[in-house]
Amino acid sequence: MNFKKLLLILFIGLNVQTALGQDTLDLTLKEALNIARKNSELAKSIRADYKSQIYDFKAVKASLYPQISINGTLPNYFRRINPITQPNGSVKLFSQSQLNADLTLNISQTILPTGGSVFLTSGLSQYNIINEGYNYWQTSPLRIGISQPLTLFNSTKWNFEQTKLRAKRATKSQIEALEDLNVQVTQAYFNLYVANMQLENAKQNVKTNDTLYQISKGRYKMGKIAENDLLQIDLQLMNARNSKAQNAVRVVTSTKKLRNLLGMTGQVEFDPAPVTNAPIFEVDVNKAVVEAQKNRSDILGFEIAENQAEMQLKRAQSEKFASGNISASFGLNQSGDTFKDAYYNPLNSQRINVSISLPLVGWGKYRDQINSSKYHLKSIRQNLKYNKRDFKIQIENVVHQFKQLQSQLLISAKADTIAQKRYFVAKERYLLGKISITDLGLAQKDKDQALINYVMSLEQYWVAYYNLRRATLYDFSKDKELSY
């Protein structure tokens, strides 16, 4: 094998190794959005927050079903000197060592409409005085009862309604948060896309201006152009090289931003595909408002705020009147020296307890609390009216902005085409010596700016598209509600 062949093999091997070492991902905007929703830390945080609130609601809902538990003390041992009163009234001190144990099975059921509860229990206790050899059992095979607060305010029902509303809002909030993520990814994607495009454009400008500079040097030597024109093209070349360096840095920083949003680690690079499609569709303002009012978490937030104010008023009104609690139970119990005796021929056991609290003199405290709650509710409702009207205005503005950007996008696309053609004509005319270098520089500047304006219009359009989705939780391009 000769030396030239060896160099060729080494050259090919190095290029293959370099290609394999590069981790470049071809990426479209749609793919970037899908990756972010599935893989990014932000999306995982959004889903975790949603699940937290949903499980909170499920826990509250589950508490309304029968609750079964076992409570007990196994064991309870103590040793102490106890004063024991004798039949003649004297007191003697005795040392006692006791070992006690008890176990109770409880089944309870909350009554949501009244805020009370019913319960069923079964219990067993053992008492053992060790130093006296005394042991006995006490049982309650079955006891059923009810406990009902005597108040006009049902805290159980109001709290359940609050939790249910928050769970509904959580579902909407998750979709809104994911749409916010779509907006962030879209902006980051276009930032990288624009940076790449400007870098490529700067490279092309460097190449073109370098060629023009070489041609201009020849013309200058031949006396066909002035020194000022040569300096002008030299300046354009320097500016193109500076733009190339700046955009190379922008590519690096934009890549890091997008990489973080997509939840990717390592040194993966992206090759963002050009975004050329922009669906044009009609958006009815009235339908957008209706869908937003039906779908947005803000509306549920308004309901929660009003519900809380109503709950506060009901609580204040109930405190003005009598309150208390009624509890009643019926069951069986027995005791004996042995476990078997404690369950033999059990005796009836009943208990009824009614507690009541009636405010007599409050020096206007309850009246003032009620008035305070009434005005708080009134303030909330007036504020909600304003917020709902403002909410409608915001939705209308989002729709109008989207429509305006649709028109702007079409104009920018046409302007870019015109600027590209104008620059091509200007360059040919300069090579023929029919225009000055200043005119060519202006044409190049207009060409570059028109391209940037078009891509920026694309970015603004897609950001507005996802803002419209986020504002209404509705996809007008597919005519359906959003869901994840």
Side-chain angles (χ1 to χ4, degrees):
M1 183 180 297
N2 59 37
F3 183 70
K4 291 184 177 179
K5 287 185 178 180
L6 179 61
L7 286 178
L8 179 62
I9 292 174
L10 290 174
F11 176 79
I12 294 174
L14 287 173
N15 278 276
V16 170
Q17 185 177 6
T18 302
L20 291 175
Q22 291 176 343
D23 194 4
T24 302
L25 176 65
D26 294 332
L27 193 66
T28 65
L29 176 59
K30 184 177 180 180
E31 290 170 344
L33 295 171
N34 289 334
I35 292 172
R37 286 195 296 267
K38 294 177 182 178
N39 192 55
S40 74
E41 283 78 9
L42 288 177
K44 292 175 182 178
S45 174
I46 291 167
R47 285 191 289 269
D49 182 62
Y50 165 72
K51 289 181 179 179
S52 172
Q53 296 183 66
I54 292 301
Y55 279 118
D56 182 48
F57 169 67
K58 287 184 176 181
V60 173
K61 186 178 179 180
S63 68
L64 300 178
Y65 294 108
Q67 305 296 302
I68 303 175
S69 64
I70 294 179
N71 302 319
T73 303
L74 302 171
N76 177 26
Y77 172 79
F78 63 90
R79 180 182 180 186
R80 63 188 178 190
I81 297 176
N82 292 327
I84 305 298
T85 303
Q86 302 300 306
N88 61 2
S90 61
V91 175
K92 291 186 178 181
L93 300 177
F94 293 91
S95 176
Q96 289 185 334
S97 297
Q98 294 187 16
L99 179 64
N100 305 329
D102 62 83
L103 194 66
T104 303
L105 172 66
N106 299 286
I107 303 175
S108 62
Q109 170 65 60
T110 299
I111 306 172
L112 184 61
T114 66
S117 64
V118 294
F119 60 88
L120 184 148
T121 65
S122 179
L124 170 67
S125 301
Q126 182 190 29
Y127 300 92
N128 187 359
I129 302 178
I130 299 175
N131 57 338
E132 296 182 9
Y134 179 68
N135 178 67
Y136 73 96
W137 298 78
Q138 184 176 5
T139 64
S140 177
L142 181 67
R143 178 175 294 276
I144 186 170
I146 184 172
S147 178
Q148 177 60 53
L150 300 175
T151 178
L152 299 177
F153 179 73
N154 185 348
S155 61
T156 302
K157 184 177 180 180
W158 280 100
N159 290 333
F160 177 71
E161 289 298 321
Q162 281 281 307
T163 309
K164 184 166 65 174
L165 286 173
R166 284 194 291 269
K168 290 176 63 178
R169 184 176 62 176
T171 302
K172 304 297 183 182
S173 296
Q174 177 189 218
I175 301 176
E176 291 169 350
L178 289 173
E179 288 303 308
D180 287 334
L181 178 60
N182 283 340
V183 172
Q184 292 185 63
V185 173
T186 299
Q187 290 174 326
Y189 182 90
F190 272 98
N191 286 341
L192 177 58
Y193 176 65
V194 170
N196 273 340
M197 183 197 66
Q198 289 181 316
L199 178 59
E200 292 303 316
N201 189 56
K203 290 178 179 178
Q204 185 61 40
N205 285 341
V206 169
K207 183 178 179 181
T208 300
N209 285 312
D210 185 63
T211 300
L212 293 175
Y213 180 66
Q214 298 304 324
I215 294 172
S216 297
K217 283 197 302 183
R219 288 183 175 180
Y220 174 71
K221 290 179 180 179
M222 296 172 62
K224 293 183 177 181
I225 61 173
E227 183 181 7
N228 184 62
D229 290 337
L230 179 62
L231 293 175
Q232 178 66 30
I233 193 65
D234 190 18
L235 179 61
Q236 288 181 195
L237 177 58
M238 294 300 102
N239 289 338
R241 288 173 176 170
N242 185 49
S243 176
K244 176 183 175 182
Q246 290 177 343
N247 285 292
V249 174
R250 285 188 59 196
V251 169
V252 173
T253 57
S254 300
T255 297
K256 290 180 179 179
K257 175 67 175 178
L258 182 59
R259 189 188 295 152
N260 190 40
L261 279 172
L262 300 188
M264 293 184 174
T265 57
Q267 297 302 315
V268 61
E269 303 293 332
F270 302 106
D271 185 12
V275 182
T276 56
N277 63 318
I280 305 298
F281 50 88
E282 288 295 324
V283 180
D284 182 73
V285 175
N286 293 328
K287 183 176 182 180
V289 172
V290 170
E291 292 297 335
Q293 291 173 338
K294 181 174 66 174
N295 299 327
R296 283 282 297 276
S297 68
D298 303 64
I299 302 300
L300 287 170
F302 297 157
E303 292 182 21
I304 291 173
E306 187 173 17
N307 184 268
Q308 287 177 332
E310 290 175 349
M311 179 175 68
Q312 182 177 331
L313 176 59
K314 292 293 184 182
R315 181 186 286 115
Q317 290 173 336
S318 69
E319 291 176 354
K320 180 180 178 181
F321 301 98
S323 63
N325 188 79
I326 180 171
S327 61
S329 64
F330 170 82
L332 302 171
N333 63 6
Q334 184 58 278
S335 63
D337 295 337
T338 65
F339 178 80
K340 182 178 180 181
D341 291 340
Y343 280 98
Y344 179 75
N345 193 23
L347 305 175
N348 292 335
S349 173
Q350 301 87 28
R351 180 180 180 182
I352 297 177
N353 178 273
V354 179
S355 61
I356 188 170
S357 175
L358 177 62
L360 297 178
V361 179
W363 307 105
K365 180 183 76 170
Y366 302 105
R367 180 189 66 244
D368 293 340
Q369 286 178 341
I370 292 173
N371 287 333
S372 173
S373 298
K374 283 182 178 179
Y375 280 104
H376 177 64
L377 178 59
K378 182 178 180 180
S379 173
I380 290 293
R381 286 175 173 168
Q382 293 299 321
N383 193 43
L384 292 183
K385 286 182 180 180
Y386 169 80
N387 286 335
K388 287 180 179 180
R389 287 197 301 267
D390 187 63
F391 177 80
K392 180 181 178 182
I393 293 173
Q394 291 178 20
I395 301 303
E396 291 172 346
N397 290 341
V398 169
V399 174
H400 293 321
Q401 182 184 29
F402 179 74
K403 289 184 174 181
Q404 183 269 327
L405 287 171
Q406 281 186 327
S407 301
Q408 177 181 313
L409 180 62
L410 297 175
I411 296 172
S412 298
K414 187 174 181 179
D416 176 55
T417 302
I418 294 172
Q420 296 286 344
K421 289 182 178 179
R422 177 173 176 265
Y423 174 71
F424 176 78
V425 172
K427 186 174 72 170
E428 294 299 318
R429 294 190 67 191
Y430 175 78
L431 293 175
L432 295 174
K434 293 184 177 181
I435 64 172
S436 68
I437 191 62
T438 302
D439 293 331
L440 178 61
L442 291 174
Q444 178 179 307
K445 183 178 179 182
D446 291 342
K447 180 259 298 183
D448 293 345
Q449 190 59 49
L451 181 59
I452 295 301
N453 289 343
Y454 172 62
V455 177
M456 295 301 293
S457 294
L458 270 173
E459 177 184 2
Q460 291 171 358
Y461 170 87
W462 280 107
V463 169
Y465 169 76
Y466 284 109
N467 277 331
L468 177 64
R469 283 166 49 114
R470 198 265 187 226
T472 59
L473 297 194
Y474 194 86
D475 189 347
F476 285 90
S477 65
K478 299 178 181 178
D479 197 23
K480 67 176 185 179
E481 291 183 13
L482 296 179
S483 62
Y484 287 104

